[in-house]
Structures are given as structure tokens and as C-alpha cells.
Amino acid sequence: MASSDSEFNPDLLLAHKLPEVCFRFTFFYTIETELDPCKSHFLLLIADAFHLQRKLRGTERSIDFDCLWWLIKNRDVAIYALGVGACGQDAVDSVELKFVYHENGQEHVQVLPTFVSLFSLGSLTDGLDLPGFKYDPSLLLHGQQYIEVYRPLPSKASLINKVSLAGLQDKGKAAILEIETRSYEQGSDELLCMNRTTVFLRGAGGFSNSSQPFSYKNYPSNQGLAVKIPQTQPSAALLYRLSGDYNPLHSDPNVAKRAGFPRPILHGLCTLGFAIKAIIKCICNGDPSAVKTISGRFLATVFPGETLITEMWLQGLRVIYQTKVKERNKAVLSGYVDIRGLSSSL
Ligand SMILES: CCCCCCCCCCCCC/C=C/C(=O)SCCNC(=O)CCNC(=O)[C@H](O)C(C)(C)COP(=O)(O)OP(=O)(O)OC[C@H]1O[C@@H](n2cnc3c(N)ncnc32)[C@H](O)[C@@H]1OP(=O)(O)O
């Protein structure tokens, strides 16, 4: 099963130190990401300096190191909310309208907490070169997403991302890579949010001794009410991609077939957006700022047009949830959401 070449040795890679590099590329918005080599020895796995230098050479003229940000606009926030089904059942939904429209007296469109998952994509979707490590990008699946939101999200902001590698595991048939993105508002040392993205690289495992498979994580591994919300449209992935994830796996039938699927599949982060929006509606009384932490594992693929049912259970200030595809009675996502408090109406 191993597809990594025999020269790949994760321990040897730890011995290298990477110079601090900034790079920028255009991905829906303009984003510039700062890779901080002090964060983790593993950083060099993802921040292959040669790869980044090639990027820098390729975009020399557009590089502006003083201008590291991602401009979030109201329009982007509203397109995202529509992409995860806001007002999908009712165009004047009293809870969801504020996510897609400035209601009277409201200064900005309000931001759903899962919008911050897009910040990590800006740094990652161009792929990463891992020295000596071979993987097939067409077999990559999004495995898990973990989000911490530290402050209420502004409707407009300029952000700086710092990216590091939080984990690498050899699962034999697959490799699991965890990438952490910390987002700061420009001009502030205060963290706005953190995303930890887990990618499941089918066919890329087997790079270490099978009796003692390589496993590294730089974070601690700790980390009924049932509601039914019929959801996705057949065009769901085509709308969601306009929020910035243009991976053709979600739109191109031929690419999907090559990856082993009968047709394009839904973005994992779109499914997550639907589920968390349902929790905000049912448990948080529609208040997106009540959400502190989001964790989700993608258990099985979803096809656009399938009906998602999210079940949730409240345990103190933790909401345990599971999302199923109704047509196949299959669990596709599970996880938890930590909330700041409970509304009195619950
Ligand atoms: C180097 C690459 C860098 C690239 C950087 C790019 C970054 C990209 C950013 C984010 C991604 C953008 C692209 C988006 C793509 C998508 O949105 S794809 C759609 C969403 N995802 C899915 O639909 C995946 C659904 N899940 C599945 O299909 C399956 O769960 C699976 C992932 C294929 C795994 O199933 P299976 O092979 O049957 O695994 P198991 O045998 O059950 O388990 C093996 C071990 O792996 C662990 N594991 C299982 N599932 C996951 C998971 N989802 N995440 C993390 N880990 C998982 C499992 O615990 C087992 O481990 P052990 O218990 O230790 O044996």
C-alpha cells in the first residue's frame, strides 16, 4: 500500500530548519501566509522551502510583504451562508436572514462561525510539497476539521495566517496530515481563530515501520435533542465552491471518477457548515457568537442533493452532534460544538 518513496524519513526531516518564508497567491481573495518555523519541527514537512521559493519566483511582481491580509467582505460572508443553506427553505427566515442580508438597522451581515474554516483553505489548496514524500492529490480527502473562535467575528477584516504542521500519522493504507492555521487580525497580536485541518491521503501510508507506525501530534488528544433539517440542493457544491474551494472533485464528473466516486462529492466543510448552522438555530437561539469550538470528523462522502439530518444532544455546554444522509441512512459527519452559554428560551 505504501506509495511514499523509500527516501522519505520523517525523523530525518525533523533535523532540518526552515528559513522563515512568506508567500502569497491569489485564491478568491488575496491572502498572504506567514510560515513560522519556530512553531514546530514538523513545519518543514509542509513548508518545503524550495516549493515556496518557486512560488515566490513565479509571482515575483505581485509580492508585497507589507501587505499580508485577506479582505473579508460582506458579500463573501453572504455567499458562504447561502452555500451552507441559509434561507434555503425560507427566504425570510427570521433566524437566518441576518447571515445573508443587512436587516433594517443592522450594520453588517452577521458571520457564521464556520466561515473561518475558509481562512485555512487560502493557505492550503495549492497543495504542499513534502520532501521525499509522495502522495496523489486526486486521492486526498478532507478527514476532520477543528475550529476555535476566540472573538466575535467581524464582517470585514484583514487577516494574517500562521501555518504549522500539527500532526502526521502513518495508517498503512493512508497517511494523515494535520495542518494548523492561526489567524490574526492585521495590526493585532490577538488571535481571532484557529483551524486544524486533517487531510486523509489515501495510498500514501506505509512510510514507516508497520510494527511501530509513525505517529506525531503536537496537541493533546482529548479533544437527546434531535432535529431534522432537510437540506442540500443538487447544485449545493457548485454554489459552495464560490466561497473559494475550487477543487474539481466537487464539480467535475471525470475528476470525481478518477478519485473513485460515481459523481462529484460535496465539500466536507459545506456539510460542516450545514450542521453547525442547524446547531446555532436549534440550540443557540440563532446567535452565531455563542459558538466557541467546533470539531468534526467526515465519516463518509455526501453527494450534492442528498438530505442531511443533524441530530444533537446537549451535555452541559457541549453539543454532541451527528449528521446523516437520510436517503442512505448513513452517518457522514460527527463531532461536538462547545458553546459559551445557553439561551434562556431553550
Ligand atoms: C500533503 C497534502 C497536503 C495538501 C494540503 C491540502 C489541504 C487541503 C485542505 C482541506 C481539504 C480540501 C479538499 C477538500 C476535500 C473534501 O472536502 S473531500 C469531502 C469530505 N470528506 C469526505 O467525504 C471523507 C469522508 N470519509 C471517508 O470517506 C472515510 O472516513 C475515509 C476518510 C476514506 C476513511 O475511511 P477508511 O479508509 O475506511 O478508514 P478506517 O479503516 O475506518 O480507518 C483507518 C484509520 O484512519 C482513521 N480515520 C478514519 N477516518 C478518518 C477521518 N475522517 N479523519 C481522520 N482519521 C480517520 C481511523 O481512526 C483509523 O485509524 P486507527 O484507528 O489508528 O487505525
Side-chain angles (χ1 to χ4, degrees):
M1 244 359 228
S3 68
S4 307
D5 90 26
S6 54
E7 290 160 32
F8 177 68
N9 180 335
D11 291 317
L12 271 184
L13 285 168
L14 294 182
H16 294 280
K17 194 160 163 74
L18 183 83
E20 189 159 332
V21 191
C22 296
F23 70 98
R24 181 167 79 170
F25 57 93
T26 304
F27 174 74
F28 192 59
Y29 315 99
T30 300
I31 183 169
E32 191 151 350
T33 298
E34 190 179 318
L35 297 169
D36 179 352
C38 304
K39 288 280 172 206
S40 155
H41 294 302
F42 275 85
L43 184 68
L44 63 101
L45 278 174
I46 63 161
D48 168 8
F50 297 110
H51 175 62
L52 296 181
Q53 279 162 12
R54 277 201 303 277
K55 270 176 187 296
L56 287 175
R57 279 200 293 274
T59 56
E60 213 163 9
R61 267 183 232 131
S62 67
I63 293 214
D64 172 6
F65 288 104
D66 296 327
C67 177
L68 318 177
W69 58 52
W70 179 349
L71 295 171
I72 303 165
K73 292 163 282 185
N74 272 320
R75 182 176 174 278
D76 305 326
V77 171
I79 287 177
Y80 171 80
L82 289 167
V84 298
C87 291
Q89 311 295 316
D90 176 3
V92 291
D93 186 302
S94 60
V95 171
E96 297 187 345
L97 192 58
K98 61 178 179 287
F99 300 128
V100 299
Y101 174 70
H102 295 214
E103 288 182 271
N104 232 351
Q106 180 188 324
E107 198 183 344
H108 298 294
V109 172
Q110 284 194 31
V111 187
L112 283 164
T114 41
F115 182 80
V116 309
S117 62
L118 304 180
F119 302 166
S120 54
L121 293 177
S123 323
L124 304 176
T125 45
D126 211 23
L128 297 162
D129 277 354
L130 309 182
F133 182 74
K134 291 212 175 80
Y135 67 96
D136 181 347
S138 69
L139 297 181
L140 179 155
L141 286 174
H142 197 156
Q144 298 181 144
Q145 189 77 12
Y146 177 80
I147 300 172
E148 287 181 2
V149 183
Y150 306 113
R151 288 189 287 133
L153 297 168
S155 290
K156 291 179 185 164
S158 303
L159 299 181
I160 296 179
N161 277 352
K162 294 191 178 180
V163 183
S164 61
L165 195 62
L168 176 67
Q169 287 155 55
D170 185 351
K171 295 292 183 191
K173 63 182 175 182
I176 290 181
L177 194 68
E178 300 189 86
I179 303 157
E180 201 167 284
T181 305
R182 296 182 168 267
S183 301
Y184 299 78
E185 253 192 285
Q186 205 208 11
S188 158
D189 286 341
E190 236 181 306
L191 255 179
L192 184 63
C193 60
M194 184 273 272
N195 275 278
R196 195 179 299 125
T197 303
T198 305
V199 286
F200 194 93
L201 301 165
R202 291 176 290 165
F207 57 79
S208 58
N209 188 335
S210 59
S211 61
Q212 215 182 345
F214 189 85
S215 178
Y216 169 82
K217 276 186 184 187
N218 75 353
Y219 60 92
S221 52
N222 55 337
Q223 346 200 305
L225 166 66
V227 248
K228 301 190 173 192
I229 302 188
Q231 296 164 321
T232 74
Q233 300 291 319
S235 59
L238 299 174
L239 174 58
Y240 183 83
R241 72 194 286 275
L242 301 181
S243 282
D245 186 345
Y246 296 107
N247 184 342
L249 177 62
H250 308 294
S251 49
D252 186 320
N254 293 323
V255 171
K257 281 208 174 82
R258 279 201 296 278
F261 301 110
R263 60 194 167 98
I265 63 174
L266 193 61
H267 304 72
L269 291 179
C270 182
T271 308
L272 186 75
F274 270 95
I276 306 307
K277 186 170 63 61
I279 290 170
I280 291 170
K281 191 166 194 173
C282 298
I283 305 240
C284 307
N285 209 13
D287 176 9
S289 67
V291 172
K292 200 162 75 170
T293 305
I294 298 167
S295 178
R297 175 179 276 205
F298 305 110
L299 305 171
T301 45
V302 177
F303 297 101
E306 289 187 314
T307 307
L308 296 175
I309 295 175
T310 298
E311 297 170 302
M312 51 197 95
W313 299 266
L314 195 55
Q315 293 184 350
L317 290 180
R318 175 161 286 190
V319 184
I320 311 288
Y321 69 92
Q322 176 173 261
T323 302
K324 282 184 185 164
V325 162
K326 183 181 166 196
E327 291 80 359
R328 293 182 279 138
N329 191 28
K330 180 145 187 95
V332 291
L333 168 67
S334 69
Y336 64 83
V337 172
D338 287 331
I339 56 176
R340 293 178 211 282
L342 279 174
S343 78
S344 52
S345 62
L346 196 70

